[in-house]
Amino acid sequence: AVDAFCDYARERNPGDVLVFMPGAYEIHKTIETFGHRKEARGFQIMPLHGELATKDQDAAVSQVGKPKIVVATNVAETSLTIDGIRLVIDSGLARIPRYDPYRGINTLLIEKISQASADQRTGRAGRTQAGVCLRLWAKAEHQDRQIQEKPEVQRLDLSEVILTLKSAGIVDLNSFRWLEHPGEKRLSHAEELLLDLGALERNAAG
């Protein structure tokens, strides 16, 4: 990402820049690398991710009176809008919440983003003036990516959700009006786990 910025900046003025990285650790390392490159001199380099305090997130999306490089997770993909971005550099990666069957827990895994997410990221550039997006993967690879990510309800363990629904008096989980139905098999698996843990009683499982 840093090399892509430097190559671009040698040829033309990049303006404000948004760099997508998968997580806070990668953001920190990227900002550290930017600090050693002469092409980034004169830019204010700022992180943007969900773990930051609200004031720090606000600072990243505000005008600062000088060119800036915002290094962000996918929180900047749809949740926050940063005006004035002329160059987007997309690593093509994100930390995706997903159930890990080997450990039996929900976790965050670094994965390739979908084509739909890549399009969202591209749209962050050029909202108020002409913009460019540099994707750090080949066009052929792009065609092999998923069209869009599965909804979270189809990726994560549902035990906590089911326990909440049962506590609210929902008996038949299959007839519940899910925004995206997780599938009978996943519901059954989560219910069995809660039964095994003693969080549900057999006569209350529905």
Side-chain angles (χ1 to χ4, degrees), residues 34 94 146 160-161 178 185 192:
F34 267 121
Q146 290 184 338
E160 184 176 351
V161 174
W178 299 90
K185 184 176 180 180
E192 282 299 322

Side-chain angles (χ1 to χ4, degrees), residues 77 90 92 113-123 133 135 137 142 145 149:
E77 194 174 298
D90 187 1
I113 61 171
S114 68
Q115 295 181 31
S117 289
D119 290 342
Q120 286 277 4
R121 293 181 177 191
T122 297
C133 178
R135 290 176 176 170
W137 65 95
H142 184 76
R145 294 190 175 214
E149 278 92 1

Side-chain angles (χ1 to χ4, degrees), residues 116-143:
S117 289
D119 290 342
Q120 286 277 4
R121 293 181 177 191
T122 297
R124 300 293 97 184
R127 286 177 168 263
T128 56
Q129 53 190 310
V132 173
C133 178
L134 302 178
R135 290 176 176 170
L136 305 184
W137 65 95
K139 185 175 181 179
E141 180 192 336
H142 184 76
Q143 300 305 316

Side-chain angles (χ1 to χ4, degrees), residues 5 16-19 34 40 43-47 67-71:
F5 166 81
D16 287 351
V17 181
L18 175 60
V19 181
F34 267 121
F43 287 81
Q44 185 160 342
I45 307 170
M46 313 170 77
K68 65 182 178 181
I69 300 171
V70 179
V71 188

Side-chain angles (χ1 to χ4, degrees), residues 38-79:
K38 63 181 181 180
E39 291 85 358
R41 292 174 188 165
F43 287 81
Q44 185 160 342
I45 307 170
M46 313 170 77
L48 179 59
H49 54 82
E51 297 173 19
L52 289 175
T54 301
K55 65 180 181 63
D56 295 322
Q57 293 190 31
D58 290 343
V61 302
S62 302
Q63 296 296 323
V64 296
K66 62 188 297 188
K68 65 182 178 181
I69 300 171
V70 179
V71 188
T73 61
N74 53 4
V75 69
E77 194 174 298
T78 55
S79 302

Side-chain angles (χ1 to χ4, degrees), residues 11 13 33 53 71 76 90 99 104 137-138 142 149 170 179 186-187 193 202:
E11 300 293 330
N13 176 14
T33 304
V71 188
D90 187 1
Y99 177 68
W137 65 95
H142 184 76
E149 278 92 1
I170 306 298
L179 186 61
R186 299 190 74 251
L187 288 174
L193 176 61
R202 288 284 170 185

